[in-house]
Amino acid sequence: MELTRAPFMPENPPGKPATWFTEYHGPGTGLTMKVLRTLYSAKSAFQEITLVETEDFGRVLLLDGIIQTTERDEFVYHEMLAHVPMCAHPEPGNVLIVGGGDGGCVREALRHETVEKVTLVEIDEMVVDCCREFLPGIAGGLDDPRVEVRVEDGVKFIEGCEEAFDVILVDSTDPVAMASPLTQVSFFRKAKRALKPGGLYAAQSQGPVFEGHRMRRITRRIRRVFPGAATYLANVPTYPGGIWSFALAPKSRRTDVRAKPRALPPDEKTHYYSPEVHAAAFTHPPYVAEILG
Amino acid sequence: MELTRAPFMPENPPGKPATWFTEYHGPGTGLTMKVLRTLYSAKSAFQEITLVETEDFGRVLLLDGIIQTTERDEFVYHEMLAHVPMCAHPEPGNVLIVGGGDGGCVREALRHETVEKVTLVEIDEMVVDCCREFLPGIAGGLDDPRVEVRVEDGVKFIEGCEEAFDVILVDSTDPVAMASPLTQVSFFRKAKRALKPGGLYAAQSQGPVFEGHRMRRITRRIRRVFPGAATYLANVPTYPGGIWSFALAPKSRRTDVRAKPRALPPDEKTHYYSPEVHAAAFTHPPYVAEILG
């Protein structure tokens, strides 16, 4: 990752340029953030891991220079990836999370009283270690006794696992390089086999503004394997276009994933998710419906 | 407006830096766009007007360096500001638009068969002229025989007008300087008087991510005058945080602005608005509900 410098910022006194990081969403569009300091920077066997403290979004985790999560807006992505499937399931007990080494989805899944076990399968141990140290508010749930953290390849894990899950959440990086196998039909078939009857699969499925082609491709592959799959949307301010999509796919096509969701325990306060948001998130603007086809 | 240069872009060949424009949303956050050329740049009596051609968003109108509208995503803002109130009204005939010199709201309002007259009151004639020349796809409706373009101060117009309107849309810049009077209680009272019985007032009301304080203040003022007011949301990719809010305020508090909307004529294809999006847009994530109080 390059930390670019933008010395023309009005708030930077002359001769004292601040460090700015820019993530490019398209050839001519980027989100730029003022970086106060870099807390962690390392190259693992899989990717470059960078943890920076920013002016507006708190601490930000970058993998290969792409924003994965920020302290300020992580609640949107994690609540929506976890609670929509978890609340669509009548009694989620055994949960598998593939990727998501920051622990955000684990934290949210644990808020459901029915959960007995959460297995996190993350390929890159250095991501887990970095987040445990620098993002304790996100990674804190990893120490819960109900959680098992396994450092291994999610594809291999799901091929070999003898367990069956009520809910499988795939919290992966963009579907290039390392994460590409997690968006293939062969993986979706294995995930479907690893679900209990009545089980639900959910995954981030890219955004419609800059990644429409990826969103369409991934969604079509998921639907080939899970004919009952549906797409829902959320506003993630730091993701390209500010809007992100998720696929919710039931093992049985007869499961209505848009049925009235089960409620979270009343003392579990959420900031983005609510039963009303759950229902509204499945509504697509016509331009999004057109991408999905 | 400054067009800043970011010479560290990987896609810029060495020695040939492209021109990039950055709009700052907070002290440490910005949206940056690659500018291919500047088509128009002038200082009117009210503001700096800049029209640039960008790599990803087509032509972009900037007022005092703030993105107002882009060819690529203008449909979201204009469809949502116009069609939610227009479809919530049983028979909008006489429409007033304050601000909105680009003509986008006029274009959308004209798609309703019941509309007999649209009055656009824009303070800055140079904005209208610039958009007529460089954004014909947005401004084209201004030449419709049902449209009257008046170059004058919206506050003074509404004080002196003898007409009454079915729908008033306020499409203003951010509530600072020139646009500040359009967010005052005194203006809302005048607008309420200028509505026919059953009439509806709508306005952009800022975004929750970076302008939460403004959104809260404006919404509270609107509610003081229009007790039946409600807030709706839309994803505008080029606005701060990618999420924007609008107030829909009925003259009579007994009007249910969330009732089933009237349909647009079937041959009027929209890209963001739909009756389902209309209904879903009034759902607020808890963090937004908290801002609104």
Side-chain angles (χ1 to χ4, degrees):
Chain A
M1 192 204 62
E2 288 182 2
L3 291 176
T4 61
R5 281 172 182 277
F8 302 99
M9 289 292 305
E11 64 264 44
N12 296 338
K16 280 197 139 191
T19 300
W20 288 74
F21 160 74
T22 302
E23 178 185 325
Y24 294 96
H25 298 161
T29 311
L31 180 67
T32 186
M33 287 192 187
K34 191 173 186 172
V35 174
L36 304 178
R37 56 190 179 131
T38 299
L39 297 166
Y40 179 94
S41 178
K43 203 166 160 51
S44 75
F46 304 99
Q47 55 205 338
E48 278 195 83
I49 305 166
T50 314
L51 203 298
V52 293
E53 175 106 35
T54 64
E55 172 101 9
D56 290 344
F57 283 91
R59 293 181 177 185
V60 176
L61 172 69
L62 303 141
L63 297 179
D64 285 339
I66 306 293
I67 296 169
Q68 302 300 314
T69 203
T70 85
E71 284 184 320
R72 182 157 165 205
D73 76 345
E74 57 92 11
F75 69 93
V76 180
Y77 177 87
H78 291 134
E79 288 185 12
M80 289 299 278
L81 179 49
H83 297 313
V84 174
M86 296 289 289
C87 291
H89 193 287
E91 201 181 346
N94 195 14
V95 178
L96 170 65
I97 298 170
V98 177
D102 55 39
C105 279
V106 171
R107 180 193 65 198
E108 296 304 318
L110 290 172
R111 299 169 75 177
H112 293 260
E113 292 161 315
T114 56
V115 168
E116 290 162 3
K117 189 176 173 195
V118 177
T119 306
L120 179 80
V121 179
E122 164 64 53
I123 200 167
D124 195 341
E125 187 164 27
M126 285 174 71
V127 170
V128 179
D129 292 344
C130 169
C131 295
R132 277 187 196 272
E133 183 169 353
F134 295 105
L135 295 172
I138 302 176
L142 296 175
D143 296 323
D144 189 283
R146 291 168 289 174
V147 176
E148 180 187 6
V149 179
R150 300 179 67 122
V151 176
E152 62 183 282
D153 180 332
V155 177
K156 286 187 188 149
F157 172 83
I158 220 159
E159 275 170 4
C161 79
E162 312 228 323
E163 276 180 283
F165 301 93
D166 297 301
V167 174
I168 298 176
L169 306 178
V170 178
D171 178 8
S172 69
T173 50
D174 292 333
V176 288
M178 184 176 62
S180 172
L182 299 174
T183 60
Q184 303 302 324
V185 165
S186 56
F187 177 75
F188 299 142
R189 289 214 178 97
K190 289 166 196 159
K192 192 175 180 183
R193 278 197 293 270
L195 284 170
K196 288 186 196 172
L200 294 168
Y201 175 90
Q204 70 95 346
S205 52
Q206 302 285 294
V209 180
F210 288 96
E211 300 82 11
H213 55 293
R214 286 183 184 166
M215 182 178 158
R216 182 192 189 95
R217 199 168 54 223
I218 295 170
T219 306
R220 289 191 168 190
R221 286 184 195 148
I222 290 178
R223 285 185 191 155
R224 274 178 62 188
V225 177
F226 296 96
T231 296
Y232 60 98
L233 303 170
N235 160 247
V236 183
T238 57
Y239 281 8
I243 181 171
W244 212 247
S245 81
F246 304 85
L248 176 54
K251 182 178 178 95
S252 163
R253 68 185 309 162
R254 286 186 302 276
T255 303
D256 176 10
V257 294
R258 298 187 60 169
K260 189 170 157 46
R262 195 175 44 77
L264 272 163
D267 53 335
E268 291 293 349
K269 188 171 152 55
T270 51
H271 300 287
Y272 194 93
Y273 180 85
S274 73
E276 297 74 27
V277 167
H278 182 128
F282 287 93
T283 304
H284 306 155
Y287 91 95
V288 176
E290 206 166 282
I291 290 171
L292 294 174
Chain B
M1 193 202 64
E2 289 183 2
L3 292 176
T4 61
R5 280 169 184 278
F8 302 99
M9 289 295 303
E11 64 265 41
N12 295 338
K16 281 197 140 190
T19 301
W20 289 73
F21 159 76
T22 302
E23 178 185 326
Y24 294 96
H25 298 160
T29 312
L31 180 67
T32 185
M33 285 192 188
K34 190 172 186 174
V35 173
L36 304 178
R37 57 191 178 129
T38 299
L39 297 166
Y40 179 93
S41 178
K43 202 166 162 50
S44 74
F46 304 97
Q47 54 204 341
E48 279 197 82
I49 306 166
T50 314
L51 201 298
V52 294
E53 175 107 36
T54 65
E55 173 100 8
D56 290 344
F57 283 91
R59 294 181 177 185
V60 176
L61 172 68
L62 303 140
L63 297 179
D64 285 339
I66 305 293
I67 295 170
Q68 302 299 315
T69 202
T70 86
E71 283 185 319
R72 182 157 164 206
D73 76 346
E74 57 91 11
F75 69 94
V76 180
Y77 178 86
H78 291 133
E79 287 185 12
M80 290 299 279
L81 179 48
H83 297 313
V84 175
M86 296 289 289
C87 291
H89 193 286
E91 201 182 344
N94 195 15
V95 178
L96 170 65
I97 298 170
V98 177
D102 55 38
C105 278
V106 171
R107 180 194 65 197
E108 295 303 318
L110 290 172
R111 297 169 76 177
H112 293 259
E113 291 162 315
T114 55
V115 168
E116 288 162 3
K117 190 176 174 194
V118 178
T119 305
L120 179 80
V121 179
E122 163 64 54
I123 201 167
D124 194 342
E125 186 163 28
M126 283 174 73
V127 170
V128 178
D129 292 343
C130 170
C131 295
R132 277 187 195 273
E133 184 169 352
F134 294 105
L135 295 172
I138 301 176
L142 297 174
D143 296 323
D144 188 284
R146 291 168 289 175
V147 177
E148 180 187 4
V149 179
R150 299 180 69 123
V151 176
E152 63 184 282
D153 181 334
V155 177
K156 287 187 187 148
F157 173 83
I158 220 159
E159 275 170 5
C161 80
E162 313 228 323
E163 275 180 283
F165 301 94
D166 297 301
V167 174
I168 298 176
L169 306 178
V170 178
D171 178 8
S172 70
T173 49
D174 292 332
V176 287
M178 183 176 64
S180 172
L182 299 174
T183 60
Q184 304 302 323
V185 165
S186 57
F187 177 74
F188 299 142
R189 290 213 178 98
K190 289 165 194 160
K192 192 176 181 183
R193 279 197 292 271
L195 284 171
K196 288 186 196 172
L200 294 168
Y201 176 90
Q204 70 96 345
S205 50
Q206 303 286 291
V209 180
F210 289 97
E211 299 83 12
H213 55 293
R214 286 183 183 166
M215 182 177 158
R216 182 192 188 94
R217 197 167 57 224
I218 295 171
T219 305
R220 289 189 167 190
R221 286 182 194 150
I222 289 179
R223 286 183 191 158
R224 275 179 61 188
V225 177
F226 296 97
T231 296
Y232 60 98
L233 302 170
N235 159 248
V236 183
T238 57
Y239 281 8
I243 181 170
W244 212 246
S245 81
F246 304 84
L248 176 54
K251 183 178 178 96
S252 163
R253 69 186 308 162
R254 287 185 301 276
T255 303
D256 176 9
V257 294
R258 297 187 62 169
K260 191 172 155 46
R262 193 175 46 76
L264 272 162
D267 53 335
E268 292 292 348
K269 187 172 153 55
T270 50
H271 301 287
Y272 194 93
Y273 180 86
S274 73
E276 296 76 26
V277 167
H278 182 127
F282 287 92
T283 305
H284 307 155
Y287 90 95
V288 175
E290 206 165 283
I291 290 171
L292 293 175

